[in-house]
Amino acid sequence: MQSITNNQSLSIGYAQAILIITVVLGHYSVRPLDVFWPFIYHMPMFFMLGGVLYKEKPIINSLASTLKKHGLYLLYTYLIIALISILINTVYDSGIGKIFSDNLFETPILAIKSNFHNNSYFLVAWFLFAYMFVTILCRLILQIKSKPILFVIAIIIGYLGMGYVAVLFHQTKNQLFNVMSQVMVGSMMYLIGYVLKDKILALRNIYIPFIATAVLFTLAKMKILYGMGMSWSDYHPEFLLHALSTTLGIMTILVITNNLSDMGKRFNLLSVIGSKSKQIMSYHLLSFFAADLIFYYLDMYDITKAKALSHYVTGQYWYVYVIIGVGLPLLISLLFDYLKSEMAKKKLKRAS
C-alpha cells in the first residue's frame, strides 16, 4: 500500500480537527449543526481514519506499541482527570461519580463495568479503550491481504456488532457485550478505512455535500435520522439507515478536507487542532466546567448544577463552550510540548 502524501496527511489532519470540534459540539446541549448531528458520524469516522493511517508492523511490536500508546495514556489521563474532578467537587460541590473503588486495585474493573462513566469528566475513555482493542483485532485480521474479503469481513463484523451483540447488551446489561459491540463496530469502520483508503483520499466531488444535506434533511423530517450511539451500543434495527446517514456525513467531511488540502495553503489552526484531537477529546468536558465558572462568576449560573454533561445552556453564548472546549486543552497541550522541548534543549546543552 502506498504511503500517504503530504496533501493527504493534511486532509486527514483537517478531518480530525473537524471531527473533534463536532465531538465538543455533541456534548453541549445546543445543536447548531442540525442535520449534520455529530453522533451520526464522528466516532465511526475516527475509527475509519485509524484504518486509513494503518502501518503494518510485526504483530508483537504492534501489540506492544498499542498498549504503550493507548493503554498507558488511558491510565495516566484517568488519574489526572480524577484528581481534578475531586478538587472541583471539593471546592464547588459539583457532583462526581464514584471514581475510585474502595480497593484501589479494583478501580480498573469499576471503570470498565461503568463504561468509564464513573469518572464522568472522562467518559470519552470508552472510545480510547475500544480503540486500543480495535487496533489489536484489526492487526490480526489484516493478515488477510484480499481487500474484497476484508470488506466483507468488515460488514459482517459491524452488522453482528450492531444487530446482535448490542441487543444482547441491552437485554443482559452485561458490559462485556457493550465493549464487544464497540470493538466490532469500530473494527468495521477501521477495516473500511484500510480497504477504501485510496478512494477516501480521492473524494473531491463538490456536489456530495449538497446531496448529503438534502438526504439527511429528508431523513430528519421523516424522523428516521439516527445517531450511532457507540458508547452504549445504541443502534436502530435498520442497519442500512445507519450506513446511509453515517456514510453521507463522512463523505461530506472528506470532500471538504480533501479540497482544502489541495488549495496550496496550509490552515495551521486546523492542523494543530487535528494533531491534538486526543488531548481535546480527553479534556474538553473539564474545559466545559471552566466555561461554567465564567458564567458562575458573572452571576448567570448556579455552579452546583454543573456536571460533565450538564452546563449553562445558552443560545446566545453557546460558542463560548466550543471555543473553551477546544481551545483550553489545545493551549495547555502546546504549552506542555514547549516546556518539554525547552527541558530537552537544556539537557542536551548540559551534556555537550
Side-chain angles (χ1 to χ4, degrees):
M1 183 173 283
Q2 291 182 337
S3 59
I4 292 173
T5 66
N6 288 336
N7 268 20
Q8 290 171 339
S9 180
L10 264 184
S11 178
I12 292 168
Y14 295 157
Q16 289 171 325
I18 292 173
L19 287 175
I20 198 58
I21 292 170
T22 65
V23 168
V24 174
L25 280 168
H27 284 146
Y28 187 64
S29 299
V30 176
R31 285 176 55 176
L33 295 180
D34 198 24
V35 295
F36 281 99
W37 187 33
F39 288 96
I40 297 168
Y41 56 83
H42 63 2
M43 288 309 184
M45 190 171 179
F46 268 122
F47 284 108
M48 188 197 76
L49 290 178
V52 172
L53 291 167
Y54 172 79
K55 292 180 181 177
E56 187 168 351
K57 299 177 184 175
I59 290 178
I60 298 300
N61 291 356
S62 179
L63 177 61
S65 64
T66 298
L67 291 174
K68 182 179 178 181
K69 182 179 179 181
H70 300 296
L72 188 59
Y73 177 86
L74 186 61
L75 176 61
Y76 71 70
T77 305
Y78 185 96
L79 292 172
I80 291 170
I81 293 178
L83 294 174
I84 296 173
S85 299
I86 292 169
L87 177 62
I88 287 172
N89 185 54
T90 303
V91 177
Y92 294 103
D93 192 27
S94 178
I96 56 174
K98 185 179 180 181
I99 298 175
F100 295 108
S101 174
D102 296 333
N103 181 340
L104 186 62
F105 295 103
E106 292 179 359
T107 297
I109 297 171
L110 170 67
I112 294 167
K113 283 185 175 180
S114 305
N115 203 25
F116 293 92
H117 283 51
N118 62 309
N119 191 356
S120 58
Y121 284 100
F122 193 36
L123 52 81
V124 294
W126 76 265
F127 168 80
L128 300 171
F129 187 68
Y131 193 91
M132 179 171 64
F133 285 102
V134 166
T135 304
I136 293 169
L137 176 61
C138 288
R139 177 62 189 89
L140 298 174
I141 294 173
L142 287 171
Q143 295 290 100
I144 300 169
K145 300 304 178 185
S146 169
K147 287 189 176 181
I149 293 175
L150 286 171
F151 187 80
V152 171
I153 290 172
I155 299 302
I156 291 172
I157 289 175
Y159 182 79
L160 292 175
M162 293 168 67
Y164 291 92
V165 180
V167 173
L168 283 173
F169 165 63
H170 289 289
Q171 288 175 345
T172 65
K173 305 303 178 185
N174 186 331
Q175 175 62 10
L176 176 62
F177 290 124
N178 190 31
V179 174
M180 285 175 62
S181 178
Q182 292 168 357
V183 172
M184 291 171 77
V185 177
S187 296
M188 172 181 70
M189 298 307 301
Y190 192 102
L191 292 171
I192 287 174
Y194 174 83
V195 171
L196 300 181
K197 171 183 172 181
D198 294 336
K199 291 184 175 11
I200 286 166
L201 295 175
L203 200 61
R204 282 171 174 79
N205 191 320
I206 61 169
Y207 296 109
I208 288 174
F210 296 101
I211 295 169
T213 302
V215 174
L216 291 174
F217 180 79
T218 303
L219 293 176
K221 290 301 177 184
M222 294 173 66
K223 301 188 185 305
I224 53 173
L225 182 61
Y226 304 110
M228 289 270 281
M230 290 186 70
S231 174
W232 291 106
S233 301
D234 187 15
Y235 306 108
H236 189 271
E238 292 294 334
F239 179 80
L240 291 179
L241 277 178
H242 277 306
L244 175 62
S245 56
T246 301
T247 300
L248 289 173
I250 289 173
M251 289 177 71
T252 297
I253 291 175
L254 288 169
V255 168
I256 293 169
T257 60
N258 286 340
N259 280 296
L260 282 177
S261 69
D262 288 341
M263 291 180 66
K265 175 185 176 183
R266 185 185 181 95
F267 297 90
N268 290 323
L269 181 58
L270 272 182
S271 292
V272 173
I273 291 173
S275 70
K276 297 295 183 181
S277 59
K278 183 193 282 189
Q279 290 81 359
I280 295 169
M281 180 181 289
S282 301
Y283 293 98
H284 73 278
L285 291 176
L286 274 178
S287 300
F288 278 2
F289 187 84
D292 285 333
L293 284 176
I294 293 173
F295 294 108
Y296 166 65
Y297 285 114
L298 290 173
D299 290 327
M300 297 170 68
Y301 184 55
D302 179 0
I303 199 65
T304 61
K305 294 180 180 179
K307 303 287 186 294
L309 295 176
S310 178
H311 306 280
Y312 177 56
V313 179
T314 166
Q316 185 177 2
Y317 299 115
W318 63 271
Y319 52 86
V320 172
Y321 284 87
V322 181
I323 292 170
I324 293 178
V326 173
L328 188 57
L330 177 64
L331 289 174
I332 292 173
S333 182
L334 291 174
L335 177 61
F336 179 79
D337 287 348
Y338 172 76
L339 293 174
K340 191 176 176 182
S341 173
E342 289 300 306
M343 288 173 64
K345 286 178 185 176
K346 287 180 181 178
K347 188 176 180 181
L348 187 63
K349 191 174 180 181
R350 284 197 214 100
S352 59

